[in-house]
PDB file of all heavy atoms in Angstrom:
ATOM      1  N   LYS C1450       7.278  18.307  18.688  1.00  0.00           N
ATOM      2  CA  LYS C1450       6.041  17.561  18.459  1.00  0.00           C
ATOM      3  C   LYS C1450       5.871  17.290  16.979  1.00  0.00           C
ATOM      4  O   LYS C1450       6.072  18.164  16.135  1.00  0.00           O
ATOM      5  CB  LYS C1450       4.847  18.358  18.982  1.00  0.00           C
ATOM      6  CG  LYS C1450       3.523  17.626  18.856  1.00  0.00           C
ATOM      7  CD  LYS C1450       2.387  18.463  19.397  1.00  0.00           C
ATOM      8  CE  LYS C1450       1.059  17.742  19.237  1.00  0.00           C
ATOM      9  NZ  LYS C1450      -0.055  18.558  19.724  1.00  0.00           N
ATOM     10  N   ARG C1480       3.295   6.350  17.807  1.00  0.00           N
ATOM     11  CA  ARG C1480       3.704   4.955  17.692  1.00  0.00           C
ATOM     12  C   ARG C1480       4.475   4.679  16.394  1.00  0.00           C
ATOM     13  O   ARG C1480       4.830   3.530  16.119  1.00  0.00           O
ATOM     14  CB  ARG C1480       2.484   4.041  17.763  1.00  0.00           C
ATOM     15  CG  ARG C1480       1.867   3.967  19.153  1.00  0.00           C
ATOM     16  CD  ARG C1480       0.585   3.163  19.156  1.00  0.00           C
ATOM     17  NE  ARG C1480       0.110   2.937  20.524  1.00  0.00           N
ATOM     18  CZ  ARG C1480       0.293   1.806  21.200  1.00  0.00           C
ATOM     19  NH1 ARG C1480       0.956   0.817  20.647  1.00  0.00           N
ATOM     20  NH2 ARG C1480      -0.170   1.676  22.424  1.00  0.00           N
ATOM     21  N   GLN C1508      -0.279   2.153   9.834  1.00  0.00           N
ATOM     22  CA  GLN C1508      -0.463   1.601  11.173  1.00  0.00           C
ATOM     23  C   GLN C1508      -1.328   0.345  11.134  1.00  0.00           C
ATOM     24  O   GLN C1508      -1.034  -0.658  11.810  1.00  0.00           O
ATOM     25  CB  GLN C1508      -1.102   2.653  12.082  1.00  0.00           C
ATOM     26  CG  GLN C1508      -1.188   2.229  13.540  1.00  0.00           C
ATOM     27  CD  GLN C1508      -1.788   3.316  14.410  1.00  0.00           C
ATOM     28  OE1 GLN C1508      -2.926   3.725  14.192  1.00  0.00           O
ATOM     29  NE2 GLN C1508      -1.033   3.801  15.377  1.00  0.00           N
ATOM     30  N   LEU C1516      -0.794  -9.926  12.572  1.00  0.00           N
ATOM     31  CA  LEU C1516      -1.877 -10.889  12.792  1.00  0.00           C
ATOM     32  C   LEU C1516      -1.700 -12.161  11.965  1.00  0.00           C
ATOM     33  O   LEU C1516      -2.111 -13.241  12.402  1.00  0.00           O
ATOM     34  CB  LEU C1516      -3.228 -10.236  12.474  1.00  0.00           C
ATOM     35  CG  LEU C1516      -3.753  -9.241  13.516  1.00  0.00           C
ATOM     36  CD1 LEU C1516      -4.973  -8.503  12.993  1.00  0.00           C
ATOM     37  CD2 LEU C1516      -4.086  -9.957  14.822  1.00  0.00           C
ATOM     38  N   ALA C1537       9.203  -4.104   5.986  1.00  0.00           N
ATOM     39  CA  ALA C1537      10.511  -4.675   6.310  1.00  0.00           C
ATOM     40  C   ALA C1537      10.806  -4.590   7.805  1.00  0.00           C
ATOM     41  O   ALA C1537      11.388  -5.507   8.394  1.00  0.00           O
ATOM     42  CB  ALA C1537      11.601  -3.976   5.503  1.00  0.00           C
ATOM     43  N   ALA C1566      18.110   1.910   8.594  1.00  0.00           N
ATOM     44  CA  ALA C1566      17.250   1.136   9.493  1.00  0.00           C
ATOM     45  C   ALA C1566      17.688  -0.325   9.589  1.00  0.00           C
ATOM     46  O   ALA C1566      17.171  -1.070  10.441  1.00  0.00           O
ATOM     47  CB  ALA C1566      15.801   1.212   9.029  1.00  0.00           C
ATOM     48  N   ASN C1588       5.567 -18.538 -12.554  1.00  0.00           N
ATOM     49  CA  ASN C1588       6.259 -19.569 -13.331  1.00  0.00           C
ATOM     50  C   ASN C1588       6.925 -20.595 -12.429  1.00  0.00           C
ATOM     51  O   ASN C1588       7.209 -21.719 -12.857  1.00  0.00           O
ATOM     52  CB  ASN C1588       7.306 -18.926 -14.256  1.00  0.00           C
ATOM     53  CG  ASN C1588       6.679 -18.225 -15.446  1.00  0.00           C
ATOM     54  OD1 ASN C1588       5.540 -18.538 -15.827  1.00  0.00           O
ATOM     55  ND2 ASN C1588       7.381 -17.278 -16.029  1.00  0.00           N
ATOM     56  N   ASN C1610      -6.356  -7.273 -12.823  1.00  0.00           N
ATOM     57  CA  ASN C1610      -5.382  -8.263 -13.289  1.00  0.00           C
ATOM     58  C   ASN C1610      -4.446  -8.672 -12.163  1.00  0.00           C
ATOM     59  O   ASN C1610      -4.095  -9.854 -12.021  1.00  0.00           O
ATOM     60  CB  ASN C1610      -4.572  -7.695 -14.457  1.00  0.00           C
ATOM     61  CG  ASN C1610      -5.393  -7.505 -15.709  1.00  0.00           C
ATOM     62  OD1 ASN C1610      -6.283  -8.308 -16.008  1.00  0.00           O
ATOM     63  ND2 ASN C1610      -5.124  -6.444 -16.446  1.00  0.00           N
ATOM     64  N   ILE C1624      -3.530 -12.211   3.316  1.00  0.00           N
ATOM     65  CA  ILE C1624      -4.222 -10.927   3.126  1.00  0.00           C
ATOM     66  C   ILE C1624      -3.651 -10.156   1.950  1.00  0.00           C
ATOM     67  O   ILE C1624      -2.430 -10.102   1.749  1.00  0.00           O
ATOM     68  CB  ILE C1624      -4.128 -10.083   4.419  1.00  0.00           C
ATOM     69  CG1 ILE C1624      -5.027 -10.696   5.505  1.00  0.00           C
ATOM     70  CG2 ILE C1624      -4.519  -8.633   4.175  1.00  0.00           C
ATOM     71  CD1 ILE C1624      -4.934 -10.013   6.849  1.00  0.00           C
ATOM     72  N   TYR C1627      -5.556  -3.382  -0.979  1.00  0.00           N
ATOM     73  CA  TYR C1627      -5.542  -2.449  -2.106  1.00  0.00           C
ATOM     74  C   TYR C1627      -5.696  -1.028  -1.574  1.00  0.00           C
ATOM     75  O   TYR C1627      -6.579  -0.761  -0.756  1.00  0.00           O
ATOM     76  CB  TYR C1627      -6.685  -2.759  -3.082  1.00  0.00           C
ATOM     77  CG  TYR C1627      -6.520  -4.088  -3.783  1.00  0.00           C
ATOM     78  CD1 TYR C1627      -7.099  -5.238  -3.266  1.00  0.00           C
ATOM     79  CD2 TYR C1627      -5.748  -4.191  -4.938  1.00  0.00           C
ATOM     80  CE1 TYR C1627      -6.932  -6.469  -3.884  1.00  0.00           C
ATOM     81  CE2 TYR C1627      -5.572  -5.416  -5.565  1.00  0.00           C
ATOM     82  CZ  TYR C1627      -6.157  -6.550  -5.034  1.00  0.00           C
ATOM     83  OH  TYR C1627      -5.978  -7.763  -5.642  1.00  0.00           O
ATOM     84  N   GLY C1633     -10.273   9.458  -3.705  1.00  0.00           N
ATOM     85  CA  GLY C1633     -10.576  10.826  -3.313  1.00  0.00           C
ATOM     86  C   GLY C1633     -12.048  11.093  -3.065  1.00  0.00           C
ATOM     87  O   GLY C1633     -12.492  12.245  -3.036  1.00  0.00           O
ATOM     88  N   GLU C1638     -19.390  10.065  -6.569  1.00  0.00           N
ATOM     89  CA  GLU C1638     -19.788  11.316  -7.215  1.00  0.00           C
ATOM     90  C   GLU C1638     -20.081  11.090  -8.694  1.00  0.00           C
ATOM     91  O   GLU C1638     -19.564  10.148  -9.306  1.00  0.00           O
ATOM     92  CB  GLU C1638     -18.664  12.347  -7.072  1.00  0.00           C
ATOM     93  CG  GLU C1638     -18.353  12.735  -5.641  1.00  0.00           C
ATOM     94  CD  GLU C1638     -17.104  13.612  -5.534  1.00  0.00           C
ATOM     95  OE1 GLU C1638     -16.391  13.777  -6.557  1.00  0.00           O
ATOM     96  OE2 GLU C1638     -16.855  14.136  -4.432  1.00  0.00           O
ATOM     97  N   THR C1654     -11.122   1.991 -10.448  1.00  0.00           N
ATOM     98  CA  THR C1654     -11.384   1.741  -9.033  1.00  0.00           C
ATOM     99  C   THR C1654     -12.797   1.216  -8.825  1.00  0.00           C
ATOM    100  O   THR C1654     -13.025   0.287  -8.038  1.00  0.00           O
ATOM    101  CB  THR C1654     -11.161   3.029  -8.218  1.00  0.00           C
ATOM    102  OG1 THR C1654      -9.809   3.463  -8.398  1.00  0.00           O
ATOM    103  CG2 THR C1654     -11.422   2.798  -6.743  1.00  0.00           C
TER     104      THR C1654
END
Side-chain angles (χ1 to χ4, degrees):
K1450 183 180 179 182
R1480 289 174 172 260
Q1508 187 178 60
L1516 285 171
N1588 286 338
N1610 292 324
I1624 288 176
Y1627 293 93
E1638 297 172 351
T1654 301

